[in-house]
Amino acid sequence: MTLDYLVIVLYLAGMLAMGWWGMRRAKSKSEFLVAGRRLGPAMYSGAMAAIVLGGASTIGGVGLGYQYGLSGAWMVFTIGLGILALSVFFSARIARLKVYTVSEMLDLRYGGRAGVISGVVMWAYTLMLAVTSTIAYATIFDVLLDIDRTLAIVLGGSIVVAYSTLGGMWSITLTDMVQFVVKTIGVLLLLLPVAVVKAGGFGEMKAQLPTEYFDPLGIGGETVFTYVLIYTFGMLIGQDIWQRVFTARSDRTARWGGTVAGTYCLAYAVAGAVIGTAAKVLYPKLASADDAFATIVKDELPMGVRGLVLAAALAAVMSTSSGALIACATVANNDIWARLRGVARPGGEQHDEVDEVKGNRAFILLMGLAVIAAAIALNDVVQALTVAYNLLVGGLLVPILGGLLWKRGTARGALASVAVGGLAVIGLMAAYGVLANEPVYYGLLASLAAYVLVSLATRPTDAAVLAAWRERLAGRAPAPDSTSETVSEQAPAAQ
């Protein structure tokens, strides 16, 4: 596997080099956290697709295909639907707000009183997302190097923390573009056709497997509905996704670039399910469905190509991990630490002039070390990720979408929605089990009821707050970082 190792080493070295290059470019808070808000369509589309298609979408998507056949595509498919919905209906308005976090959006909409508790919930979600992505390094490096789980996590996590800390969003954008290309070549152009051919083609696959493997709803209608609630709606409100939207240079880029990324996700979903189905024909008795990806890569691909496809899996994990890490650090610094120090204003303004780049860089390093430590300590990634998404959707979906769509929603309604929805999800997970569907179903209904009832029972949001909100939403009001935006726009936009 010498050639495979060489491919991987060159790939990892390239990631670190891009981190160093990004450090030279990220000179302001806007540049460091949102790439100066000036990504063009090509870079925006590739980076958006890279951040949402992680280890769960690649290794997990193939595993679901191995277990359920073509209907195993639904998990990743609903992620793609979420990106499409976000891009078509909300991305333009989100981009015009010129904020850095979801909580800052809530502050603007509700008058500066709804963002504190939402920041804590969003931080917990992004932390768990980063942790679960980091744990996936153990699977990949075990195939590559046959090394200890802890060492694998430290090795992969350290590289992501290094390039993310050095250049912030610029480094992550550049590495995401490389990772997007590597994933496209490795998974769609190499592994997919090889897997189908090795399995004897679709005709042989149909002959060898039960008919339910080719049933679009073979995974179960309730499972598909749960995926929609968790992943499609999760894509609409996650800090990691919004922070990528904030990098778009225009409304049009956010809308059409995101539409391209969402469509790519749909194709990636089908590819993963087909690869998994082919693996079921080739290896019908694997101990775990999640071993399907590594097994077919290790046994069926020639050297060199095998290294590229494993690099594609590594790219998938790294892109999600780095996106979640910078989101976690941004929320921790801007929504929690800044409020504790009393220097934050609604919408992202700061009372005092501090070195924003150094401060955010320090938080990425700190959160990165915490993520690596948590990844080493945790074993059950499915439960951790389920808790994170249940809290996100059950606690924050209603006040965020309500703020964008319903002008009668109030700050007290938003706070009640977050509190009731979050507590309901936690209580129901304790009663039904972490992996049950009921917590997110009933938690979301409780959150909606609390939002509507409390909003109607309290005084409407101040007219001045709503007027300022509408101005920002329409892109007519100056953003808090307008100075840095002006400087950034003097340079050519990244294509």
Side-chain angles (χ1 to χ4, degrees), residues 11-234:
Y11 168 76
L12 294 177
M15 297 299 99
L16 292 173
M18 289 180 187
W20 185 261
W21 186 90
M23 181 179 68
R24 300 173 57 189
R25 189 158 189 170
K27 300 298 184 182
S28 68
K29 179 180 179 179
S30 176
E31 295 281 353
F32 190 81
L33 293 182
V34 290
R37 307 187 196 273
R38 55 192 177 95
L39 295 190
M43 289 193 75
Y44 178 85
S45 297
M48 177 63 86
I51 194 175
V52 298
L53 295 174
S57 299
T58 304
I59 299 170
V62 172
L64 286 172
Y66 182 88
Q67 191 172 0
Y68 298 104
L70 298 186
S71 66
W74 274 109
M75 184 188 76
V76 183
F77 203 85
T78 55
I79 291 173
L81 292 178
I83 296 301
L84 285 172
L86 175 72
S87 302
V88 172
F89 299 112
F90 300 109
S91 63
R93 284 182 284 178
I94 292 171
R96 287 195 292 264
L97 290 174
K98 303 297 185 191
V99 295
Y100 293 105
T101 69
V102 174
S103 294
E104 288 177 5
M105 167 263 170
L106 292 173
D107 278 346
L108 283 170
R109 168 60 181 83
Y110 295 112
R113 291 171 291 175
V116 181
I117 189 172
S118 66
V120 174
V121 174
M122 189 64 76
W123 174 80
Y125 157 73
T126 54
L127 179 69
M128 282 296 98
L129 184 61
V131 167
T132 53
S133 300
T134 303
I135 291 173
Y137 296 128
T139 301
I140 299 170
F141 280 108
D142 179 58
V143 176
L144 281 172
L145 306 173
D146 192 24
I147 60 176
D148 176 72
R149 175 183 181 275
T150 299
L151 182 58
I153 290 172
V154 171
L155 177 60
S158 297
I159 293 170
V160 170
V161 171
Y163 72 69
S164 300
T165 301
L166 286 172
M169 187 58 83
W170 268 121
S171 294
I172 292 171
T173 296
L174 293 171
T175 54
D176 277 357
M177 282 304 301
V178 173
Q179 289 156 359
F180 170 75
V181 172
V182 170
K183 279 190 286 193
T184 301
I185 296 173
V187 175
L188 297 183
L189 301 183
L190 293 176
L191 183 57
L192 175 60
V194 167
V196 173
V197 170
K198 292 283 187 178
F202 284 102
E204 183 65 20
M205 289 162 64
K206 286 186 176 181
Q208 293 285 338
L209 297 173
T211 56
E212 55 263 28
Y213 264 70
F214 301 92
D215 181 353
L217 292 176
I219 199 171
E222 184 179 357
T223 299
V224 174
F225 181 66
T226 303
Y227 284 160
V228 170
L229 279 185
I230 292 178
Y231 296 114
T232 301
F233 287 125

Side-chain angles (χ1 to χ4, degrees), residues 340-404:
L340 292 175
R341 293 171 58 213
V343 299
R345 292 178 182 169
E349 296 174 283
Q350 301 293 323
H351 284 297
D352 54 354
E353 291 295 329
V354 296
D355 190 335
E356 293 291 343
V357 174
K358 284 186 177 179
N360 284 289
R361 184 173 283 137
F363 264 87
I364 291 180
L365 178 59
L366 180 64
M367 292 297 104
L369 295 175
V371 164
I372 292 173
I376 293 171
L378 290 177
N379 289 317
D380 198 328
V381 296
V382 175
Q383 289 201 6
L385 195 58
T386 301
V387 170
Y389 270 103
N390 282 351
L391 283 172
L392 177 71
V393 174
L396 293 182
L397 177 68
V398 171
I400 291 172
L401 294 189
L404 290 169

Side-chain angles (χ1 to χ4, degrees), residues 30 57 166 245 255 293 298 307 336 338-339 343 394 452 478 489 492:
S30 176
S57 299
L166 286 172
V245 174
R255 182 182 295 111
F293 179 88
K298 196 172 184 179
I336 299 175
R339 294 174 194 277
V343 299
V452 173
E489 288 169 1

Side-chain angles (χ1 to χ4, degrees), residues 232-314:
T232 301
F233 287 125
M235 292 300 107
L236 296 180
I237 59 174
Q239 170 67 26
D240 51 326
I241 308 303
W242 277 41
Q243 198 156 342
R244 177 56 67 191
V245 174
F246 298 153
T247 65
R249 75 181 181 195
S250 66
D251 300 354
R252 184 179 178 84
T253 297
R255 182 182 295 111
W256 292 110
T259 301
V260 171
T263 304
Y264 178 89
C265 292
L266 302 183
Y268 200 88
V270 175
V274 171
I275 293 168
T277 305
K280 184 67 175 179
V281 174
L282 294 168
Y283 313 99
K285 296 183 179 180
L286 290 178
S288 170
D290 285 341
D291 293 337
F293 179 88
T295 302
I296 196 170
V297 169
K298 196 172 184 179
D299 292 350
E300 303 299 336
L301 296 180
M303 63 178 181
V305 174
R306 179 172 49 206
L308 182 60
V309 174
L310 287 173
L314 196 58

